[in-house]
Amino acid sequence: LIFSKYSLFSGDSMGKIRTRMIKRIAFRLLELYPDQFTTDFEKNKKILEEKFSSIMYSKKIRNKIAGYITSRVSIKEQSKEF
């Protein structure tokens, strides 16, 4: 079996995959607190750590949620520019 550059098993052809839990929590936090989050990952991570430590299961999940929130906020800001 030969794997090409575009094989399903290579990391290059795959997109960003996030679990439903990460997306659900991120969307809910963005609905409830839309003005608190920014396009800065470190600030979002700190907000999650300080204010929502009770729902953060681990650093890895916190970072995934902060990254997803950062990407959603930046997409929202880009759509406002046009």
Side-chain angles (χ1 to χ4, degrees), residues 36-48 66:
Q36 289 191 4
F37 296 105
T38 65
T39 57
D40 184 20
F41 172 75
E42 294 297 325
K43 286 182 183 178
N44 292 340
K45 188 169 75 168
K46 193 166 209 149
I47 289 169
L48 290 174

Side-chain angles (χ1 to χ4, degrees), residues 62-76:
R62 180 201 64 202
N63 291 344
K64 286 185 176 194
I65 294 170
Y68 190 67
I69 288 174
T70 303
S71 66
R72 297 308 303 172
V73 170
S74 64
I75 288 171
K76 184 187 270 187

Side-chain angles (χ1 to χ4, degrees), residues 21-82:
M21 181 186 71
I22 302 297
K23 289 182 180 182
R24 185 177 54 229
I25 292 171
F27 276 120
R28 187 71 176 141
L29 290 173
L30 283 171
E31 284 177 1
L32 296 174
Y33 311 100
D35 55 337
Q36 289 191 4
F37 296 105
T38 65
T39 57
D40 184 20
F41 172 75
E42 294 297 325
K43 286 182 183 178
N44 292 340
K45 188 169 75 168
K46 193 166 209 149
I47 289 169
L48 290 174
E49 185 177 349
E50 292 172 356
K51 296 188 178 185
F52 309 107
S53 61
S54 61
I55 63 169
M56 294 300 122
Y57 305 108
S58 67
K59 286 183 182 181
K60 185 176 181 178
I61 291 175
R62 180 201 64 202
N63 291 344
K64 286 185 176 194
I65 294 170
Y68 190 67
I69 288 174
T70 303
S71 66
R72 297 308 303 172
V73 170
S74 64
I75 288 171
K76 184 187 270 187
E77 285 187 3
Q78 287 176 358
S79 66
K80 286 182 182 179
E81 292 175 1
F82 294 112

